[in-house]
Amino acid sequence: MDSLIPFTTSGSLVDCVDRKMLVVLRDGRKLHGVLRSYDQFANLVLEDTTERIYHGNAFAEHWHGLFLIRGENVVLLGEIDLDREDDVPLRQVDYHVLDPYHKNDIANKKVREDFKSQVLYEQKGFCKEGGEGDGY
């Protein structure tokens, strides 16, 4: 009977080891890398890690190498289909070309979110919560 209960602990990551994964963090960063290890707290070790940034129909990558991620910072973890990875209709550009646009997008999003939070606080009675890096 116990075998019918879904396996939802960090042990369910065992099938993902040695596969290329996408990890989205609480601060919005998107990391691509090969999952090499994890522990009971869902802390992850990614190898050959690159951080991708996006703007419009372009993306850029910044190489980080070996990357250790605390489990509490993971919003999404998904396997990348290697057969379809190159079919993405985006063009790759140099990181330094796209970085200013990406930073501007982040700043604009923060202004919008701050305004939204202020309206919810003042007009709708919501409380102020969260902090830096607590976007999810």
Side-chain angles (χ1 to χ4, degrees):
M1 185 65 178
D2 289 336
S3 63
L4 299 177
I5 299 172
F7 194 46
T8 58
T9 64
S10 64
S12 62
L13 294 175
V14 71
D15 293 335
C16 298
V17 173
D18 295 333
R19 295 190 180 186
K20 190 167 184 182
M21 306 297 286
L22 163 67
V23 181
V24 178
L25 302 179
R26 283 178 34 194
D27 63 2
R29 288 186 291 167
K30 294 154 190 75
L31 303 173
H32 293 234
V34 179
L35 181 65
R36 290 298 182 200
S37 184
Y38 65 94
D39 64 9
Q40 71 270 23
F41 304 109
N43 296 322
L44 308 173
V45 177
L46 292 180
E47 186 178 46
D48 296 327
T49 306
T50 58
E51 177 182 352
R52 276 197 184 179
I53 58 174
Y54 300 89
H55 178 76
N57 66 344
F59 75 94
E61 293 182 333
H62 180 70
W63 191 78
H64 289 288
L66 195 64
F67 212 87
L68 175 63
I69 305 168
R70 281 184 66 121
E72 65 186 21
N73 292 319
V74 175
V75 174
L76 180 136
L77 174 70
E79 184 178 353
I80 295 175
D81 185 351
L82 297 177
D83 294 331
R84 300 185 65 196
E85 182 180 19
D86 295 330
D87 296 340
V88 178
L90 300 173
R91 61 185 171 85
Q92 186 170 1
V93 297
D94 187 57
Y95 187 86
H96 302 291
V97 171
L98 204 59
D99 191 40
Y101 295 104
H102 179 68
K103 287 181 179 176
N104 189 35
D105 289 345
I106 291 171
N108 289 338
K109 181 179 179 182
K110 181 167 177 25
V111 168
R112 286 192 313 271
E113 292 298 320
D114 289 345
F115 177 75
K116 212 184 313 183
S117 295
Q118 193 65 28
V119 168
L120 288 172
Y121 176 71
E122 292 174 356
Q123 297 177 10
K124 303 295 183 183
F126 282 69
C127 64
K128 290 186 178 181
E129 61 180 83
E132 185 175 324
D134 200 21
Y136 290 94

